């Protein structure tokens, strides 16, 4: 298994509609990204979140599936509009 965890600090230009759209588009990867077994997103509830208010978790069959996700057209389309609105952090590991 390969785990991908991410968090976003939203920039001031991000609206509630952007935040909702991000959650919806990320969740829509279920069943469309080969090798993606699970995807979960939501507000970061940790008091030690350092401003990262949105969090996500993805479980892939293996690292190669996660690598392919990085260049999948659906992911690239999300990044196209989302990247200007966030300060992201990512954590990846194999289990």
């Amino acid at each position: 298994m390969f785990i991908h965890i991410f968090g976003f600090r939203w920039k001031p230009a991000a609206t509630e509609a952007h935040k909702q759209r991000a959650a919806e588009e990320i969740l829509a990867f279920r069943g469309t990204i080969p090798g993606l077994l699970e995807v979960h997103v939501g507000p970061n509830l940790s008091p030690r979140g350092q401003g990262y208010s949105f969090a996500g978790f993805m479980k892939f069959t293996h690292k190669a599936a996660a690598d392919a996700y990085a260049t999948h057209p659906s992911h690239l389309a999300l990044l196209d509009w989302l990247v200007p609105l966030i300060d992201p952090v990512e954590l990846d590991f194999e289990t």
Side-chain angles (χ1 to χ4, degrees), residues 17-94:
H18 289 124
K19 296 172 187 180
Q20 183 63 35
R21 179 180 173 190
E24 290 171 2
E25 288 190 23
I26 294 167
L27 291 173
F29 293 153
R30 291 178 177 151
T32 64
I33 304 290
L36 178 61
L37 301 173
E38 294 181 38
V39 60
H40 306 276
V41 297
N44 180 12
L45 304 177
S46 173
R48 295 170 301 284
Q50 299 180 11
Y52 290 92
S53 60
F54 182 89
F57 168 91
M58 294 179 164
K59 182 193 289 185
F60 292 89
T61 53
H62 44 71
K63 185 177 183 312
D67 290 344
Y69 158 73
T71 60
H72 190 281
S74 296
H75 183 233
L76 295 176
L78 170 72
L79 294 179
D80 188 52
W81 68 266
L82 181 62
V83 168
L85 299 173
I86 59 171
D87 175 19
V89 65
E90 297 182 5
L91 304 166
D92 296 328
F93 62 95
E94 291 182 291

